[in-house]
Amino acid sequence: LSGASAVLVDEAHLLSQEKLEYLLWYCGNRPVIFSSDYENMLSPEELDRAAVHALEQISGIQSFRLTNRIRTNAEISSFIQNMMHLPAKRSPRWYPNIAVVYAGNGRESENLMNDFVRQGYQRRTTEGSGQLDAQAVRDEEKIVVLLDEQYYYDEKGYLRFMCSSEKDFSVRRLFHLLNQAKESLALVVKENMEVYEVLLEILQMHRNR
């Protein structure tokens, strides 16, 4: 960084406290610009704000917030926000580039996923642990994602994940994966009629207004 006049840090909310402190020390007096994802539609239990909180405590920092996502188109962004958290009032909108299909078992879900891949969709998975990897920040024109029976909506309308070992991470990963889609998004819901019906309701809201 000897020749740098400023440092720009993307995905700053994924930094650990240790890496953040080292980065600030290493940059010295150079201006540092952080960009991060607020993720305000995730449930409080699944929202890890440790890094964001540490950034907010930096002496002399100035904070600015964008009004919406800058990479995802307005249609997909609206659907994801409604899907992640079901507010009491939702504005009707048409979602022509969102597809939601149901699979009664693993074989059906695999066939449906493969069918979307043949149509040009990139397959994404929420499996994994630890910090989000490079897959979580690579945009694609079309993306298909599988939602299994572990997902559910809690009493406050937040999308949640049952498995205790992954519940604080899987919804965050899903949120980032969905936001990779630039033009079209497909969801294959496996053996989870409750979530499937909620997603269909979101898609059909414009028809009921």
Side-chain angles (χ1 to χ4, degrees):
L1 299 178
S2 58
S5 58
V7 178
L8 281 68
V9 184
D10 193 19
E11 304 286 350
H13 56 287
L14 301 180
L15 287 171
S16 66
Q17 179 81 25
E18 181 182 7
K19 290 180 179 179
L20 174 60
E21 292 176 355
Y22 178 78
L23 181 63
L24 292 173
W25 172 83
Y26 192 67
C27 291
N29 294 324
R30 299 179 184 87
V32 183
I33 300 175
F34 297 96
S35 65
S36 64
D37 196 333
Y38 192 66
E39 302 176 334
N40 61 345
M41 67 284 302
L42 298 184
S43 67
E45 293 82 357
E46 287 156 338
L47 179 57
D48 183 2
R49 283 186 48 85
V52 175
H53 179 72
L55 288 171
E56 293 171 346
Q57 303 307 308
I58 297 174
S59 176
I61 193 169
Q62 299 181 55
S63 299
F64 304 91
R65 184 175 178 185
L66 297 175
T67 57
N68 212 328
R69 300 193 59 82
I70 60 176
R71 292 186 299 183
T72 307
N73 68 44
E75 175 193 342
I76 295 178
S77 178
S78 172
F79 177 81
I80 294 172
Q81 291 182 46
N82 282 322
M83 172 185 173
M84 288 290 164
H85 182 215
L86 307 174
K89 296 182 179 179
R90 289 174 283 174
S91 300
R93 187 186 181 103
W94 188 36
Y95 298 107
N97 296 301
I98 307 292
V100 178
V101 297
Y102 187 80
N105 53 54
R107 183 174 180 179
E108 286 185 9
S109 66
E110 189 66 21
N111 288 339
L112 288 168
M113 293 288 287
N114 290 336
D115 185 56
F116 279 109
V117 170
R118 285 191 290 269
Q119 296 178 50
Y121 286 75
Q122 297 296 315
R123 181 171 182 160
R124 289 292 183 266
T125 176
T126 58
E127 295 176 356
S129 58
Q131 287 192 339
L132 296 165
D133 54 27
Q135 176 183 251
V137 293
R138 187 174 66 251
D139 294 346
E140 299 286 355
E141 296 296 323
K142 299 180 177 182
I143 286 176
V144 58
V145 179
L146 176 69
L147 300 180
D148 62 18
E149 64 279 6
Q150 296 275 9
Y151 290 93
Y152 69 100
Y153 284 95
D154 66 12
E155 65 280 359
K156 295 182 180 180
Y158 285 104
L159 184 65
R160 305 295 299 274
F161 193 74
M162 293 182 184
C163 181
S164 58
S165 63
E166 291 288 331
K167 67 179 181 180
D168 295 331
F169 183 73
S170 288
V171 175
R172 290 189 64 214
R173 175 180 285 273
L174 174 65
F175 171 75
H176 283 276
L177 294 183
L178 296 178
N179 276 294
Q180 291 177 17
K182 295 168 63 177
E183 297 295 336
S184 300
L185 175 64
L187 299 173
V188 177
V189 184
K190 186 187 76 170
E191 300 179 78
N192 195 333
M193 186 58 69
E194 180 181 351
V195 168
Y196 177 65
E197 290 178 347
V198 171
L199 298 182
L200 286 185
E201 181 183 349
I202 296 174
L203 291 179
Q204 296 172 0
M205 279 193 301
H206 72 286
R207 300 176 184 175
N208 300 327
R209 299 296 180 99

